[in-house]
């Protein structure tokens, strides 16, 4: 080489750059996406005045998925939250003379503010916008034997998380509750058939603004998290009690269930024993 000193200088610059890059990779922070999946067998209580004045009770199969992630590594006071759930249920009236099939899907997303009054404790305040699509079918041989549930609401959302430190692992107790504030709901008039609505295009008095005076209730979850070597198991309770009125009719949708599921971090797929490096931020911590 004609200029050996120049070659040595270039080599030193390359080595220095590699060293600085390795250092920066340890200090740059990233946000993890925390995902929780659960399965449940809920007890159902449904009163659909459009289909029947009687209360129907039964059992169903449900699933749920919850996702949490900080908005950015620099802002750990706010997190993005999304949830989705589905259910298939079978209910009967008090005399078991008719049964009702119930299928529903709900999706919601929103934001939480994280307040940490002490180490290991979080209080969450935020809002969730959700929509729900449901289908009910009554076995009675009548003209109006099916009904569609369609609604969308802005909900006040509150949460609580507390870490329980043991010699081997950090367990957690968490709770969330949502209550509707305002939104939209589809409720046809009693006696109006879906043929008249969908084929003839008669949507009179089918669309309603929902608010705290005609739609009340809550959706609540409680979970106990147990971290194992490769997964964090979740055991908990879930319940909802929604009551709404329109066109002179009252509707109720109640459920309660024991839930079983697991949570993991999308980047490392681990529980809290083998946790992610310190520069990976989990919205659940």
């Amino acid at each position: 080489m004609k200029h050996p000193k120049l070659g040595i200088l270039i080599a030193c610059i390359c080595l220095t750059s590699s060293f600085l890059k390795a250092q920066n990779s340890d200090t740059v922070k990233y946000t993890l996406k925390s995902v929780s999946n659960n399965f449940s067998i809920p007890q159902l209580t449904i009163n659909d005045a459009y289909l029947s004045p009687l209360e129907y009770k039964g059992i169903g199969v449900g699933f749920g998925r919850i996702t949490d992630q900080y908005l950015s590594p620099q802002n750990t006071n706010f997190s993005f939250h999304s949830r989705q759930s589905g259910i298939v249920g079978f209910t009967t009236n008090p005399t078991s003379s008719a049964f009702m099939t119930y299928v529903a899907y709900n999706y919601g997303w929103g934001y939480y503010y994280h307040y940490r009054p002490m180490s290991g404790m979080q209080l969450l305040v935020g809002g969730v916008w959700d929509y729900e699509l449901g289908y009910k079918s009554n076995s009675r041989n009548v003209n109006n034997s099916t009904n569609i549930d369609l609604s969308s609401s802005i909900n006040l959302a509150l949460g609580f998380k507390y870490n329980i430190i043991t010699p081997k692992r950090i367990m957690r107790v968490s709770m969330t509750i949502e209550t509707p504030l305002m939104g939209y709901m589809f409720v046809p008039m009693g006696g109006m058939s879906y043929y008249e609505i969908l084929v003839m295009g008669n949507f009179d008095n089918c669309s309603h603004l929902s608010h705290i005076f005609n739609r009340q209730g809550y959706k609540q979850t409680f979970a106990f998290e147990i971290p194992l070597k490769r997964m964090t198991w979740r055991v908990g309770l879930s319940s909802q009690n929604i009551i709404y009125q329109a066109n002179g009719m009252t509707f109720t949708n109640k459920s309660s269930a024991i839930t079983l599921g697991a949570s993991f971090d999308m980047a490392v797929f681990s529980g809290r024993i083998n946790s992610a490096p310190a520069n990976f931020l989990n919205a659940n911590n």
Side-chain angles (χ1 to χ4, degrees):
M1 182 179 289
K2 294 182 179 180
H3 304 285
K5 293 184 178 179
L6 180 60
I8 294 173
L9 178 61
I10 294 174
C12 290
I13 293 174
C14 292
L15 290 173
T16 303
S17 299
S18 300
F19 176 75
L20 292 175
K21 185 177 181 180
Q23 274 195 324
N24 291 335
S25 65
D26 292 334
T27 57
V28 175
K29 295 184 181 297
Y30 304 90
T31 59
L32 292 174
K33 182 179 291 185
S34 177
V35 179
S36 301
N37 298 315
N38 63 74
F39 171 81
S40 63
I41 301 179
Q43 299 286 333
L44 303 173
T45 300
I46 297 174
N47 187 355
D48 189 317
Y50 177 84
L51 297 177
S52 172
L54 300 177
E55 189 175 68
Y56 283 66
K57 295 185 178 182
I59 196 169
V61 176
F63 73 89
R65 183 181 180 93
I66 301 172
T67 302
D68 293 286
Q69 187 174 19
Y70 285 129
L71 295 187
S72 70
Q74 295 75 31
N75 188 356
T76 59
N77 290 326
F78 289 91
S79 65
F80 172 76
H81 170 83
S82 68
R83 57 166 175 76
Q84 55 183 316
S85 61
I87 188 171
V88 177
F90 301 93
T91 61
T92 61
N93 61 17
T95 60
S96 298
S97 60
F99 67 88
M100 183 185 298
T101 303
Y102 175 58
V103 181
Y105 174 80
N106 183 284
Y107 176 80
W109 65 273
Y111 298 92
Y112 276 118
Y113 172 75
H114 296 244
Y115 173 64
R116 301 174 176 87
M118 57 183 293
S119 178
M121 178 185 291
Q122 294 186 54
L123 302 179
L124 309 179
V125 180
V128 173
W129 177 30
D130 75 342
Y131 67 86
E132 180 164 316
L133 177 62
Y135 172 82
K136 300 171 186 172
S137 177
N138 197 308
S139 64
R140 293 185 304 122
N141 186 18
V142 294
N143 291 332
N144 301 335
S145 60
T146 62
N147 192 18
I148 295 175
D149 289 336
L150 179 62
S151 64
S152 180
S153 299
I154 297 175
N155 307 283
L156 173 65
L158 304 174
F160 171 81
K161 297 178 181 180
Y162 183 73
N163 292 340
I164 302 175
I165 301 176
T166 66
K168 292 186 177 181
R169 52 179 59 88
I170 300 177
M171 296 182 288
R172 167 168 292 164
V173 175
S174 63
M175 184 181 68
T176 63
I177 186 169
E178 297 178 14
T179 184
L181 298 179
M182 64 177 298
Y184 159 87
M185 56 185 178
F186 172 83
V187 180
M189 295 183 62
M192 179 184 290
S193 68
Y194 273 84
Y195 175 84
E196 183 180 356
I197 297 172
L198 301 177
V199 178
M200 302 181 64
N202 183 9
F203 287 90
D204 292 344
N205 295 320
C206 291
S207 299
H208 306 271
L209 179 67
S210 65
H211 43 75
I212 59 175
F213 298 106
N214 64 2
R215 189 179 183 93
Q216 309 93 22
Y218 64 85
K219 295 180 180 180
Q220 181 177 313
T221 64
F222 174 85
F224 184 68
E225 301 181 4
I226 307 171
L228 300 178
K229 187 174 182 180
R230 297 183 181 277
M231 193 76 69
T232 299
W233 290 100
R234 291 168 56 92
V235 180
L237 302 171
S238 66
S239 63
Q240 78 166 9
N241 186 353
I242 302 297
I243 303 174
Y244 56 98
Q245 302 90 20
N247 289 329
M249 300 180 292
T250 299
F251 303 78
T252 61
N253 194 332
K254 303 178 184 179
S255 67
S256 59
I258 297 176
T259 62
L260 177 63
S263 64
F264 55 88
D265 301 327
M266 291 293 287
V268 294
F269 298 94
S270 69
R272 291 193 175 86
I273 292 180
N274 297 327
S275 58
N279 57 329
F280 285 77
L281 303 179
N282 186 334
N284 273 330
N285 292 332

